[in-house]
Amino acid sequence: MPYLKSLQEAVQPFTKTVGRDILAKNPKTLQLNITRKCNLACKHCHVACSPARSEDMEMRTAERAMQILKEWDFTTLDITGGAPEMSGVYRYLIDTAASMDKKIMSRSNLTIFNEDGYRDLPEFLKERKVEIVASLPFYEEVKTDKVRGIGVFHDSIEVLQRLCALGYGRDEELQLNLVYNPSGAMIPAGQDELEAIYRTKLKDEYDIDFNNLFSMTNSPIGRFGEWLDRSGNMDRYLTRLCDAFNPATVDELMCLDTLSVDYDGSVYDCDFNLALGMSIAGPHKTIFDIEKEDLIGRKIRTMNHCYTCTAGSGSS
Ligand code: SF4
Ligand code: SF4
């Protein structure tokens, strides 16, 4: 990862800015990054997924994940990837977690629901009341296609209309949340204002309803980190993030009560640390050897990419 040097040197170390250790609490959310396969290859992807990747969670790892979901009393299963729908264990995980009455969130790029073999998934997810967290980089075609590829906006709108027709975004039990990412090296505008604009545009032009819009700052790692480094924008971007540091966000960080597990069972404080290969502190590194007690009070491993989560009103 050649961009790591410029990431670390661009601004003062994150730990110095925070001024204290960040310690994990009781874990509540089990986040599983089950595959690197994806039908898209977005410019900002921090885990560098694409159709060329083949890494996928094995069934024995999925079974162990479901064992700890139950025994460690997690409240929420958060399934991500890649396009998690493309994983061989996706339906098993959702069926198992649904049988335990856990809250289930599934991240989606939406377009996968238009591909052969996945068209029935909206109904599958509806029956199990799975919350869909869907990326829609912008409410206009040009900007979305610039980030995700030609035709992605059109496909995403078509899928959102299908989801709404099933009751997503309309029925209280069928939550549909959208995710916004800026298309370049900038910090997103206020979430509430943006949500109001998305709501009006999507309703008026496409009759689409949704519950919430999450505004995400792009993390300076993965493909986006490489681009920042290559184009000489790393310093400027990190300075912006660092200048926008908001101490109030530190007690709300996602990593405080989340355990992030990779497709191979290795464990991380969050999906960004996973992408960097920064496994959790302590001797135990996989869901096969770690115990719940190892997680509580552990020191979260931070680096300058963490400024992404503390800029403005926060983002994780
Ligand atoms: S950002 Fe999401 S949709 Fe895009 S390549 Fe990465 S995993 Fe796939
Ligand atoms: S990137 Fe964000 S969520 Fe991950 S360890 Fe840093 S502050 Fe926590």
Side-chain angles (χ1 to χ4, degrees):
M1 296 177 195
Y3 60 85
L4 281 184
K5 190 166 180 287
S6 61
L7 174 67
Q8 282 304 81
E9 291 175 355
V11 288
Q12 75 166 358
F14 181 76
T15 41
K16 193 170 172 195
T17 302
V18 175
R20 62 179 165 93
D21 288 342
I22 299 174
L23 302 178
K25 301 176 188 167
N26 200 15
K28 293 281 176 215
T29 299
L30 180 64
Q31 184 181 63
L32 302 181
N33 193 318
I34 61 177
T35 186
R36 296 287 190 281
K37 296 185 218 173
C38 189
N39 57 321
L40 302 180
C42 306
K43 283 184 190 161
H44 64 260
C45 188
H46 66 270
V47 264
C49 297
S50 77
R53 304 287 296 264
S54 59
E55 301 92 324
D56 197 9
M57 185 173 272
E58 290 180 2
M59 185 52 85
R60 72 177 195 107
T61 312
E63 286 171 349
R64 172 64 181 155
M66 291 301 92
Q67 187 187 4
I68 69 168
L69 180 75
K70 184 176 184 182
E71 292 177 2
W72 296 6
D73 218 14
F74 284 99
T75 56
T76 304
L77 175 67
D78 177 0
I79 304 178
T80 185
E85 301 91 341
M86 295 175 80
S87 165
V89 298
Y90 181 69
R91 294 181 197 238
Y92 161 77
L93 292 171
I94 288 177
D95 271 335
T96 309
S99 73
M100 296 177 200
D101 246 357
K102 301 287 182 185
K103 177 180 172 184
I104 308 168
M105 293 161 60
S106 183
R107 316 254 173 172
S108 180
N109 67 32
L110 295 171
T111 62
I112 188 69
F113 296 139
N114 271 344
E115 304 262 343
D116 288 346
Y118 307 100
R119 287 182 215 276
D120 65 318
L121 276 176
E123 285 79 7
F124 173 85
L125 298 174
K126 174 187 172 171
E127 280 164 22
R128 289 148 187 86
K129 299 189 172 47
V130 175
E131 175 182 326
I132 298 176
V133 181
S135 318
L136 188 66
F138 208 56
Y139 51 79
E140 286 170 355
E141 183 168 1
V142 175
K143 284 196 178 170
T144 295
D145 286 3
K146 189 177 159 210
V147 175
R148 310 219 110 167
I150 302 293
V152 166
F153 182 77
H154 179 267
D155 281 359
S156 302
I157 292 296
E158 201 182 301
V159 169
L160 284 170
Q161 288 170 330
R162 273 171 58 203
L163 291 171
C164 289
L166 288 172
Y168 268 102
R170 293 173 180 167
D171 178 334
E172 196 51 39
E173 290 194 313
L174 297 173
Q175 292 281 309
L176 173 61
N177 294 315
L178 301 182
V179 178
Y180 159 82
N181 291 89
S183 60
M186 58 198 83
I187 300 174
Q191 187 162 286
D192 292 348
E193 288 160 54
L194 204 55
E195 182 178 291
I197 301 171
Y198 260 73
R199 205 174 290 289
T200 306
K201 293 271 182 190
L202 293 180
K203 185 69 183 172
D204 291 355
E205 293 179 30
Y206 308 105
D207 193 26
I208 288 168
D209 296 290
F210 63 94
N211 296 94
N212 303 290
L213 177 82
F214 302 135
S215 175
M216 308 286 274
T217 307
N218 289 322
S219 186
I221 61 175
R223 282 194 197 115
F224 185 56
E226 284 165 19
W227 175 79
L228 287 171
D229 192 29
R230 255 196 335 267
S231 61
N233 277 301
M234 185 67 90
D235 276 22
R236 198 158 50 93
Y237 188 56
L238 259 290
T239 301
R240 269 189 199 157
L241 294 179
C242 185
D243 287 349
F245 175 76
N246 175 3
T249 59
V250 177
D251 289 329
E252 304 295 328
L253 293 170
M254 169 181 75
C255 47
L256 296 179
D257 61 3
T258 296
L259 179 68
S260 194
V261 179
D262 206 358
Y263 70 91
D264 61 359
S266 49
V267 288
Y268 302 85
D269 296 314
C270 73
D271 206 34
F272 303 114
N273 287 9
L274 181 156
L276 288 170
M278 283 171 60
S279 54
I280 64 167
H284 304 301
K285 303 294 184 191
T286 78
I287 51 170
F288 295 103
D289 59 12
I290 201 162
E291 295 298 332
K292 186 177 181 183
E293 293 66 41
D294 298 329
L295 300 175
I296 303 167
R298 76 185 187 280
K299 189 173 153 186
I300 303 287
R301 292 189 65 196
T302 59
M303 218 174 61
N304 280 355
H305 66 297
C306 295
Y307 281 116
T308 312
C309 304
T310 54
S313 51
S315 167
S316 10

